[in-house]
Amino acid sequence: MELLQGRIRDYAWGSRTAIAELQGRPAPSDGPEAELWLGAHPGAPATVDRDGRPVSLTDLLVAEPEHWLGERLVGRFGIRLPFLLKVLAADAPLSLQAHPDAEQARTGHAADAGQVNYVDPYHKPELLVALSEFDALCGFRDPADSAEAIAAFGVPALEPVVAALRAGPAGLREAVRALLSWPAAERAGLVAAVLAGAVAGPASPDAALVRTLAAGYPADPGVVVALLLHRVRLSPGEGIWMPAGNLHAYLRGTGVEIMAASDNVLRGGLTPKRVDVDELLRVLRFEVLADPVVRPEPVAPGVLAWPVPVEDFALHHVTVSAAATGTRLTLPGPRVVLCRAGRLTVADGVGEVTLDAGQSAVGTAAGAALTLTGDGEAFVATCGLR
């Protein structure tokens, strides 16, 4: 194991306190800090020290693929780390978005040469585990509930959308297309009418959501599309599993996120960025998501996991006490370890490193089982191959 230096992304919706406080730096920070990337994604690869200078983890994988990744991972995923671990800290809503499945990503990337919708040929399922209370919109809820929620605002222009939703799941596509294709000249009026209904009507979670979103996006029909989704509030330790094709938006909070290493995002609103309605509709799954919340399962003393049905990644949380002898984890390499709290020493038979809160480490496929000692908590990211 050796120290890994992550990269901070300064997206406008980011927190000025959460990541700084995790890393023990002065807060608030000078600007928004939205995500801490701990991986080898070419958009912001983490680095390790080589003779006093930072070297990209991506470059190390290319130079020594079998040492870092192992023959099995190279054969399955190519010369790339198949997962990306992040700390995500949102002080404002992210865009409504969905991600393609593996086949859609391959064909889409080949068709547009990575210039428009598909910047790489990979899928992007993702799991987020809350570190604080975390608010999110995740997957379509029962269309009958969405129909009643929208009807309650009393906006005549939305009656066709309400009618489509009352037809059940079969009407979801029609409702989403109608909202995202709303004439540009009429969008501000639509949101204003819905907001007026939210202000005048009885207090409800849906009305509160409209007020929050309309404040930032007063001419975006995504404010109404948001009413079609589950509103979820996670407690620390609970997770959200977002497979391909599920529309979602994170609203506020801090979490650890692990995903397949891709940057393919199809947006549906709540953003100044490009929205491709036709392509989004092509990849969306117009089905009700029964329960997007994933709860941790104990897999060993002091070790929790959030099982997900992909080979690209797996995530474990480890709690270590100074009174105990430590925790041993037999997990496939390479591995990325993020110290969440306290101080931990992580060893893999090749090297060991001591981490304080907010620090991270990486080990190659050549390492043996992980041993964690000290007093603290850590997240361990690996591939999901077994």
Side-chain angles (χ1 to χ4, degrees):
M1 300 299 292
E2 56 186 313
L3 283 172
L4 182 71
Q5 184 65 46
R7 297 276 296 278
I8 291 177
R9 311 307 301 266
D10 59 352
Y11 309 134
W13 47 263
S15 168
R16 292 174 181 258
T17 59
I19 295 176
E21 289 173 352
L22 172 65
Q23 296 185 323
R25 294 184 282 109
S29 56
D30 292 338
E33 297 180 337
E35 296 179 346
L36 173 65
W37 286 26
L38 300 168
H41 191 282
T47 62
V48 297
D49 182 83
R50 288 291 182 270
D51 299 322
R53 66 182 185 90
V55 177
S56 161
L57 185 56
T58 305
D59 291 344
L60 292 175
L61 301 186
V62 172
E64 299 179 280
E66 292 200 2
H67 172 71
W68 277 94
L69 299 169
E71 184 177 349
R72 189 176 180 214
L73 249 69
V74 171
R76 172 64 179 84
F77 298 105
I79 302 176
R80 55 187 291 268
L81 189 65
F83 62 85
L84 173 60
L85 183 67
K86 297 180 180 179
V87 178
L88 183 148
D91 260 2
L94 283 67
S95 61
L96 283 168
Q97 59 188 266
H99 309 298
D101 64 25
E103 179 61 25
Q104 291 164 343
R106 278 194 298 269
T107 59
H109 182 71
D112 73 12
Q115 299 301 309
V116 183
N117 290 315
Y118 298 94
V119 297
D120 58 59
Y122 308 115
H123 68 164
K124 192 186 177 186
E126 56 191 37
L127 168 74
L128 181 137
V129 174
L131 297 179
S132 68
E133 280 200 345
F134 197 97
D135 289 338
L137 302 170
C138 303
F140 290 116
R141 61 177 176 172
D142 188 327
D145 294 337
S146 299
E148 295 312 306
I150 294 173
F153 296 114
V155 180
L158 288 172
E159 289 176 0
V161 172
V162 172
L165 293 170
R166 284 177 173 155
L172 271 172
R173 179 185 294 271
E174 181 184 346
V176 173
R177 178 180 288 280
L179 291 169
L180 294 184
S181 303
W182 209 269
E186 300 174 15
R187 292 183 174 187
L190 172 68
V191 176
V194 175
L195 180 59
V199 172
S204 71
D206 291 318
L209 178 62
V210 166
R211 291 194 295 270
T212 297
L213 298 180
Y217 299 95
D220 191 328
V223 172
V224 187
V225 176
L227 297 170
L228 309 183
L229 306 180
H230 289 284
R231 178 76 181 272
V232 174
R233 172 163 286 185
L234 300 178
S235 297
E238 292 183 321
I240 304 170
W241 162 238
M242 281 291 101
N246 277 273
L247 194 62
H248 62 283
Y250 300 147
L251 301 178
R252 183 177 293 272
T254 304
V256 166
E257 188 176 30
I258 187 167
M259 61 184 61
S262 168
D263 209 17
N264 285 323
V265 179
L266 294 162
R267 297 177 177 86
L270 308 182
T271 178
K273 296 181 179 179
R274 181 177 182 273
V275 174
D276 186 329
V277 174
D278 289 337
E279 191 62 21
L280 179 65
L281 292 174
R282 191 177 75 85
V283 305
L284 282 182
R285 294 180 179 176
F286 291 98
E287 56 193 32
V288 175
L289 185 63
D291 184 4
V293 178
V294 180
R295 292 163 183 86
E297 298 181 3
V299 295
V303 182
L304 300 173
W306 294 262
V308 292
V310 292
E311 294 183 331
D312 307 72
F313 60 81
L315 184 68
H316 292 77
H317 177 271
V318 183
T319 302
V320 181
S321 168
T325 57
T327 298
R328 182 179 173 86
L329 292 176
T330 302
L331 297 171
R335 293 157 291 204
V336 174
V337 179
L338 168 67
C339 183
R340 165 72 175 93
R343 170 173 282 194
L344 298 172
T345 297
V346 186
D348 65 353
V350 176
E352 73 173 41
V353 62
T354 297
L355 304 176
D356 291 317
Q359 291 185 309
S360 57
V362 64
T364 73
L370 283 182
T371 301
L372 292 87
T373 55
D375 193 354
E377 304 173 32
F379 286 92
V380 181
T382 67
C383 76
L385 290 174
R386 291 291 182 268

